[in-house]
């Protein structure tokens, strides 16, 4: 994986997001999204705890602060080490009691079976809160490819279908061309266009990440353009050179057999110019003639010279 100062682009983006300053309405919206993405109820000592889990320590700190600010509670932090696969720590920021009540205060509810959190009733967010909600959703379940990797990709995973629909509507309210995909476990929303990923980063307030993304994207674009130009020019140059080599062969043959002076004036001048300027293209050659001729006119004259040379080779030349 490519690293940006030692950390993946996604992790660095999240780190930046956890430092965004916001007003109290937005804090609540971000917390809602964080809980929708990573929260669940957990039976604990006969009570119901609300756990919000993350592998990202900066996100854990953010959740902790938001819970304190928005719900005026004192959360606990539980750290557990993942046994399989990546051995990252998982941080559970926990409110140990009254889990349902905490959710209700945010307009959320937990499913009785799997304890996943859902939106109790759809709400209308203010524009500032929409951004905060997206920021929370990205912090909870988001990831983004490094801009230098082979394809642009940003995604947000969620478990609950209502949340997925809400996010899809929000993202496409900003014309981000987001798509929704069903996976074995839950849903994923994704954005594939570099330009739209940049817009998303701007919307959620990840401005450092945005600048980094743009730098790499522009550099990549320039490199592609330069490569295209180089390939194109090399191809044209090769074409020019091989055409010129053929023309020179024809002219030398004519000169050896009958002498260029025996050609009509308009053909002789072209032949002489080609001998003097063997490596220029037709346009440049035309500019050196006494009477300027179009490219196709010049091509026609070279074809005439070719015909004469062909006739000379076959012994059919009877003069002009
Ligand atoms: Zn707000």
């Amino acid at each position: 994986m490519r690293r940006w100062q030692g950390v993946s682009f996604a992790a660095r983006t999240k780190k930046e997001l956890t430092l965004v300053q916001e007003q109290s309405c937005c804090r609540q919206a971000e917390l809602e999204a964080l809980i929708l993405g990573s929260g669940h109820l957990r039976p604990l000592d006969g009570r119901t705890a609300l756990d919000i889990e993350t592998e990202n320590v900066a996100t854990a700190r953010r959740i902790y602060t938001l819970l304190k600010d928005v719900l005026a509670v004192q959360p606990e932090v539980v750290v557990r080490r993942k046994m399989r696969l990546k051995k990252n720590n998982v941080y559970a920021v926990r409110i140990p009691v009254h889990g349902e009540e905490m959710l209700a205060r945010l307009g959320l509810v937990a499913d009785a079976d799997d304890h996943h959190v859902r939106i109790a009733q759809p709400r209308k967010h203010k524009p500032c809160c929409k951004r905060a909600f997206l920021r929370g959703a990205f912090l909870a379940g988001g990831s983004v490819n490094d801009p230098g990797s082979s394809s642009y990709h940003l995604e947000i995973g969620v478990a609950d279908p209502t949340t997925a629909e809400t996010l899809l509507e929000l993202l496409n309210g900003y014309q981000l061309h987001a798509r929704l995909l069903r996976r074995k476990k839950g849903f994923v929303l994704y954005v594939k266009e570099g330009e739209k990923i940049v817009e998303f980063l701007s919307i959620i307030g990840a401005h450092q990440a945005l600048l980094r993304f743009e730098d790499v994207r522009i550099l990549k674009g320039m490199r592609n353009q330069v490569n295209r130009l180089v390939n194109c020019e090399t191809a044209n140059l090769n074409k020019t050179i091989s055409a010129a080599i053929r023309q020179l062969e024809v002219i030398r043959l004519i000169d050896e057999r009958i002498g260029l002076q025996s050609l009509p004036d308009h053909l002789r001048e072209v032949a002489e110019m080609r001998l003097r300027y063997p490596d220029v293209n037709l346009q440049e050659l035309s500019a050196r003639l006494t009477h300027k001729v179009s490219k196709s006119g010049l091509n026609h004259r070279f074809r005439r010279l070719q015909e004469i040379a062909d006739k000379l080779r076959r012994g059919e030349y009877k003069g002009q």
Side-chain angles (χ1 to χ4, degrees), residues 219-233:
L219 212 65
K220 221 160 96 175
M222 267 166 46
R223 212 176 292 140
N224 288 343
Q225 210 178 347
V226 167
N227 282 342
R228 262 200 305 279
L229 277 174
V230 167
N231 290 341
C232 187
E233 278 184 359

Side-chain angles (χ1 to χ4, degrees), residues 85-142:
L85 301 168
K86 302 175 289 178
K87 294 209 171 163
N88 292 344
N89 283 340
V90 179
Y91 305 90
V93 187
R94 170 176 297 169
I95 304 176
V97 290
H98 310 306
E100 287 104 339
E101 190 197 318
M102 294 301 149
L103 291 181
R105 282 169 62 187
L106 295 169
L108 306 175
V109 66
D111 197 283
D113 299 327
D114 60 11
H115 302 298
H116 276 307
V117 180
R118 284 186 282 118
I119 298 171
Q121 62 245 26
R123 78 250 10 238
K124 277 240 172 294
H125 279 127
K126 293 193 285 178
C128 59
C129 298
K130 283 183 184 171
R131 292 161 183 261
F133 190 86
L134 288 175
R135 179 160 56 241
F138 184 79
L139 279 172

Side-chain angles (χ1 to χ4, degrees), residues 9-22 30 34 58-59 62 66 131-132 134-140 142 144 154 200-209:
F9 181 73
R12 197 158 168 105
T13 303
K14 289 190 178 182
K15 171 93 197 218
E16 185 188 356
L17 289 176
T18 63
L19 302 173
V20 172
Q21 302 282 332
E22 55 190 2
E30 186 182 318
L34 275 160
T59 303
R62 178 78 160 185
L66 288 174
R131 292 161 183 261
L134 288 175
R135 179 160 56 241
F138 184 79
L139 279 172
V144 56
L154 181 140
F200 178 79
L201 294 174
S202 164
I203 288 163
I204 61 174
H207 300 292
Q208 291 296 324

Side-chain angles (χ1 to χ4, degrees), residues 3-14:
R3 299 265 142 169
W4 175 20
Q5 291 177 13
V7 186
S8 80
F9 181 73
R12 197 158 168 105
T13 303
K14 289 190 178 182

